[in-house]
Amino acid sequence: MTEFLPERIPLNIYDELLLHLDKPGSPLSLQMEVRVSGHLDEERLASAIRSAATHHPMMRATLAPHKASDTQLFWQIQDALEQVPLRIIECCDEEALHEARTALHSLSVPLAEAPPFRCALAHCGEQGDFFMINMNHTVCDSVGLYSFMVSILRAYAGVADPVSGVDFIRARNGAPETIPAKFSDHLARISRLLEVIGTTLKPPARIAADGMEDDTGLSFMPVRFSAAQTRRLQTLRHNGATINDLLATALHLAIDRWNTEHDQSTGRISMIMPMNTRDPSFRNDVASNLSVWVNVISRANDRTDFEHLLNVLTRQTAGLKESGTMGLLVDLMREVRGLPAWIRQAVPGLLPLTGNRIASTTVLGNLGHARMPLPGDSALALKELWFSPPCRMPMGLSLGAVTLNDHLHLSFRYHRQQFSREGAWAFAETFLDILNGQAGV
């Protein structure tokens, strides 16, 4: 990481596309939460957050004042955090934890002052304490948020936190590597790009609502798989399919089944999925926005059965990873940079990368298998890890996945306009029935 940073750094292309999507009633934020063994000391945790922020410049960022005519927006990086927004919840039971999580993540985190995140610490006795972060997605993606969380835990435990040697500014402004290709390969990439963009012109399916239209805020439904259940999922991976492809397949089929049960047609399902564009040398580092959001779609005739749909979605995700489509999408986003800010505010609603109202039914984010951030002999042990990506109404549901200690953790994030608490659990059960049915659970 760079030893010296200028007072201001420009927003990169990922930041800008997300900036204008954050709304008070539907915050564009990331959820991350850990459960640890034992008790977390409040002052020591606040000190650990400050220490971690010294390693991650975007955790000290504020949005610099700007005019509507500006063609470039900037972050101002503070030297250190003057305050740590940490709310304390005492005597925490399951209901109090649910309410604390809902309250924290229903907040829209402002960018006018540092830090661009809010935290809560819930003391839950023998169950172990919960530490939660609500991060404004404009400054950081899920990979970067996990990197920040790791730094906090290491600082609290007094464990060395090796700082990556990656140049922070260079990493933020980098783009996916492009490999010289034959003309026919370029045509294939352009064809795929046009297909992705074309999905924005056709209204996608919506998930049938089971909530209150006048209700506001976000809630969560956490589901933790046993180690045996997690292992059984691995047996479903055929023809190059990943765990992410399995989850995407189950989510598409759950939406189809849910809508049928609620007498609502489905048609084309469009699922937003973030894809990490970091260089392999720092794939799990750098707390910043370095992921591009893409659409993965299914139509009614794709959803005839689990295996068929799994093959359809696996081919799509493989094509996004291998064909260079992401590079073309980044190039497209770069073309937007020369427009005045007032025009750029409208552009995200037209692009298939940002979870916009036109292009999406739902969101799936998967952090994969999280590395254990603390040594085995550390007094602080990480027991659970939860994550979810943002979703904006009328796209009222997102699903976050991460595997820790051989346990798959799923976090269903939903708007209360979309689902009641009972409705969210009923939808989650539909999803789990499909997934577990395939795994023979």
Side-chain angles (χ1 to χ4, degrees), residues 224-254:
R224 185 172 182 258
F225 279 40
S226 69
Q229 289 174 315
T230 304
R231 285 194 298 270
R232 278 195 285 269
L233 285 181
Q234 296 287 348
T235 66
L236 301 179
R237 296 178 56 189
H238 305 299
N239 300 321
T242 65
I243 290 295
N244 197 68
D245 295 323
L246 295 173
L247 297 176
T249 300
L251 187 54
H252 280 240
L253 291 175

Side-chain angles (χ1 to χ4, degrees), residues 280-324:
S281 63
F282 56 92
R283 184 164 182 80
N284 297 312
D285 295 315
V286 185
S288 181
N289 264 322
L290 290 167
S291 295
V292 62
W293 286 32
V294 296
N295 275 328
V296 177
I297 65 172
S298 73
R299 297 176 175 83
N301 58 1
D302 296 323
R303 300 190 292 270
T304 54
D305 61 70
F306 190 97
E307 285 294 333
H308 177 66
L309 179 58
L310 177 60
N311 289 332
V312 169
L313 298 186
T314 299
R315 285 195 298 270
Q316 287 185 49
T317 57
L320 287 166
K321 295 171 187 175
E322 298 171 3
S323 71

Side-chain angles (χ1 to χ4, degrees), residues 5 32 92 122 134 185 190 224 237 256 273 275 302 308 324 331 346 352 380 392 395 435:
L5 289 175
M32 187 158 289
C92 180
N134 171 7
D185 293 331
I190 293 171
R224 185 172 182 258
R237 296 178 56 189
D256 192 306
M273 185 172 67
M275 300 190 77
D302 296 323
H308 177 66
D331 288 342
L380 183 67
R392 301 174 62 231
M395 181 179 59
L435 197 59

Side-chain angles (χ1 to χ4, degrees), residues 16 97 102 137 171 213 228 239 262 298 323 334 339 380 430 433:
E16 285 204 23
L97 183 63
T102 294
H137 193 6
E213 289 187 5
N239 300 321
H262 288 76
S298 73
S323 71
R334 283 206 167 100
L339 299 174
L380 183 67
T430 300
D433 286 346

Side-chain angles (χ1 to χ4, degrees), residues 33-37 146-147 149-154 157 159-162 224 284-285 367-386 402-407 409:
E33 177 178 329
V34 296
R35 180 173 74 87
V36 301
S37 59
Y146 180 65
S147 182
M149 176 67 85
V150 166
S151 292
I152 294 172
L153 295 173
R154 286 175 172 167
V159 175
D161 185 24
R224 185 172 182 258
N284 297 312
D285 295 315
L367 276 176
H369 203 293
R371 65 193 188 280
M372 183 56 67
L374 301 171
D377 59 354
S378 172
L380 183 67
L382 189 58
K383 296 298 186 182
E384 297 174 6
L385 173 63
W386 304 95
V402 60
T403 301
L404 177 74
N405 292 334
D406 299 319
H407 290 264
H409 295 67

